[in-house]
Amino acid sequence: MSDTRPASSSTGSVRLPGRPDVDTNVPLLSIQGLTKDFGGLRAVNACSFDVAPGSITGLIGPNGAGKTTLFSLVSGFHRPDAGRVYLDGEDVTGLPSHLLFRKGLCRTFQIPREHKSMTVTENLMLVPKGQIGERFWNPVLRQGAVRAQERRLREKAREVLEFVNLDHLADQPAGAMSGGQKKLLELARTLMADPKIVLLDEPGAGVNPTLMGRIREKIEQLNRERGITFLLIEHDMPLVMGLCNPVIVMNQGSKLVEGPPSLVKSDPRVLEAYLGGQYAALDG
Amino acid sequence: MTALHLAKSALLAVPLWLLISSLLRFKPSWLRHLASLAAGFGVAALATLAMPPGILSYVTTFILVACIYAVLSVGLNVQWGYTGLFNIGIAAFYAIGAFTSALVTTKMPTGINASFTKQLFGLGLPFWVGVLAAGLVAGVLAWLVGKPTLKLRDDYLAIATIGIAELVRLFFQNERWLANGPQPLRGIPQPLSCLVGDGCSWLPGFVNSFFAPLAPRDYPYVYVAIVALVLYLIYRVLERAIRSPWGRALRAVREEEASAAMNGKDVAAFRMQAFVVGAVIMGLGGALYAHYVVSIDYSHFDPLYGTFLVWVMLMLGGSGNNRGAILGAFVVWAIWSGTSFVVDAIRPTLAAISPSLPARGPYLRLLFISVLLVFIVLYRPKGIVPEEKVVSLDRDT
């Protein structure tokens, strides 16, 4: 097994409080030379980087840099044309989403994709793996066991909803929630899964500052208390710079710069490709 | 009340008992069933006494056919209502079920009949084996159709199923060695027909003497009880399966496929399961039909009766709700049967407009039912009984 493990990156070693057993030298997620073409357009171009276990890694870059496409490649929505993806040292390139989920990789969507007509609680109860009631014959023949498991799931869903402060909406259809609440629901769903790593696609987009503060607080708390690793795409620079370390900047499909926020912020290449352009546009 | 009334009431009490006990909610369930059985018998006895025998027999046949359609509608509900699979070839699974059960339960024709009827199997197996075989074969057909198409976009499943339905029908029309096509396959045995004949040797004498007043033409009274029981069993099994993580996952796949996949659901597998389960139920419906009409041929499974009416039933009743699916079958079958009286009644008017019109009257029924479908989609898209909000198991149990 060890020879399939990719070389570790020196940038990502983060100490995990309370989790000394985690080997921080092996990246939890390693992306190597990932490439994806859509017709004539190369959306992701030989992109490589590592995500260290226990980190909150930020992924930023101008629109069209290939961030969301990269997420789709890593989470099994698209197959890469070239390159490999390693999860915890295991080659998971091209695996379908549901198998990646079972290996502990969760992903949220830029535009929330909740199950609209199902209640918030049901949206959460759907998530956990190993549900015996998902086999057609079990609810018919072993209703007792299914009910017992459902009770546990409902209890867990209640706890998660309390954690993200959505418990007052438990029995509402998910489609009736506000945009920000849907973002929280996306985060809550990943909590039902006990993931190793969560890919968050713009958790702050379209969310008011108060709610944003809460989402940020929850991410930090989950990272600190449960050791969940986060890789997140975000355009809100104060949020990224305050929350993430390291920060990876993508441009034109590949990694441009990686480093701690303070360095990334002042890197001339980043200023030119992304931050500078943005601020220049605001100024001018 | 004569012995004949009593026998008819006892048989008609079965569908009524199952209906009433499904509508009531109180526990314990044995008490509910007992009360429903008593109420069902009461209603059946009143109906038997109040209605002239001809009307009663019409009503019985009506319930019987509506129950068979309800089986198909409930099967479609698993595919379309819960999972969003656009199957417009219900007739394929309906036909394959009907022919399968017919072929394994009939006896191989002998003597002079052998030169008129060609068929495969002819195993003379009991009714229930035929019904199970029908479900099995329909399920296998669904798996074969689903394997290449379910991973594609919805439209491809629609195209594939409509094609398969035509293929199955034409196959039974043209292949004489298989099921005597294009001639009807005759002599399909009727379960418990001994009750209306010489008595069943394996039943205790008092049961036989209780049903002795029934003549062979009263067989629908026996069969309506059997069909209602099968429908009830299917309904109960499905309700359990749907109010569970399985049903929840199907709904999740229907509403937001990408999200279901990202939450660890094997979308292709769930779609396949729903497609096969729905098809098995349609196959059972086909078997029930075959043993009712005794003689079947390819023309029974045309797109109108085999597919279109079932779709209207589900849409009207309420897709995503099994009770709605069953109610829709009864309502639409009532409308469909009723329009034949309407067309008869306006025959003179049609003749006054143009002499050739009365002959084309039956097509008016199609017009009515199509207009009905348009109105459902426009004004009542969720049907009479809309989908329930929560499909997970009840909180208190």
Side-chain angles (χ1 to χ4, degrees), chain B residues 71-112:
Chain B
V71 171
L72 298 179
S73 170
V74 160
L76 180 64
N77 193 25
V78 179
Q79 297 178 341
W80 170 253
Y82 292 114
T83 324
L85 301 175
F86 196 39
N87 174 5
I88 44 175
I90 302 160
F93 307 102
Y94 180 38
I96 209 99
F99 276 106
T100 302
S101 191
L103 287 175
V104 300
T105 54
T106 43
K107 290 201 175 63
M108 208 51 154
T110 50
I112 186 94

Side-chain angles (χ1 to χ4, degrees), chain A residues 75 77 97-98 100-102 105-107 109 113-119 122 125-128 131 133-136 139-141 143 146-147 150-151 153-154 171-173 186 189, chain B residues 237-238 240-249 251-267 270 273 277 387-397:
Chain A
S75 62
F77 275 81
S97 305
H98 67 273
L100 286 163
F101 172 89
R102 285 177 206 167
L105 183 141
C106 281
R107 178 235 174 123
F109 296 94
R113 296 194 180 183
E114 75 289 351
H115 302 289
K116 291 187 177 59
S117 78
M118 289 161 64
T119 66
E122 284 195 300
M125 289 173 73
L126 172 77
V127 179
Q131 297 192 34
E134 279 183 7
R135 305 219 170 269
F136 174 75
V140 180
L141 303 174
Q143 210 176 28
V146 174
R147 276 180 194 278
E150 284 285 88
R151 260 195 300 275
L153 293 185
R154 194 179 289 282
D171 295 324
Q172 294 303 312
E186 290 260 313
R189 284 208 292 208
Chain B
V237 167
L238 272 187
R240 277 197 169 191
I242 287 304
R243 289 167 200 282
S244 79
W246 188 71
R248 190 164 61 211
R251 213 162 135 174
V253 167
R254 183 194 70 191
E255 294 213 334
E256 191 53 73
E257 205 180 304
S259 183
M262 207 56 249
N263 284 306
K265 308 302 165 218
D266 187 344
V267 171
F270 278 111
Q273 288 169 22
V277 168
E387 181 166 17
E388 286 166 75
K389 194 171 79 174
V390 181
V391 294
S392 297
L393 286 167
D394 306 342
R395 172 174 309 241
D396 50 341
T397 43

Side-chain angles (χ1 to χ4, degrees), chain A residues 65-85:
Chain A
K67 304 180 298 294
T68 296
T69 307
L70 186 89
F71 266 27
S72 295
L73 294 177
V74 172
S75 62
F77 275 81
H78 298 307
R79 286 184 74 92
D81 294 321
R84 318 295 311 167
V85 180

Side-chain angles (χ1 to χ4, degrees), chain B residues 133-178:
Chain B
L136 186 74
V137 174
V140 170
L141 178 69
W143 188 83
L144 291 173
V145 176
K147 199 69 193 159
T149 51
L150 282 176
K151 283 181 187 161
L152 303 169
R153 281 204 336 261
D154 297 348
D155 341 15
Y156 292 97
L157 181 68
I159 295 165
T161 48
I162 204 169
I164 284 290
E166 288 302 289
L167 223 112
V168 168
R169 188 164 57 88
L170 290 172
F171 199 72
F172 281 109
Q173 179 177 353
N174 292 310
E175 304 303 321
R176 184 152 189 239
W177 54 270
L178 178 62

Side-chain angles (χ1 to χ4, degrees), chain B residues 317-378:
Chain B
S319 85
N321 190 315
N322 285 324
R323 287 164 182 246
I326 295 170
L327 178 68
F330 276 79
V331 172
V332 171
W333 189 243
I335 294 171
W336 182 252
S337 316
T339 49
S340 95
F341 294 117
V342 173
V343 170
D344 280 347
I346 61 173
R347 200 168 276 269
T349 322
L350 292 175
I353 297 167
S354 161
S356 68
L357 263 187
R360 293 189 225 149
Y363 293 106
L364 276 176
R365 299 172 73 190
L366 264 179
L367 181 73
F368 291 145
I369 212 86
S370 307
V371 168
L372 176 69
L373 181 61
V374 171
F375 273 95
I376 298 165
V377 173
L378 284 179

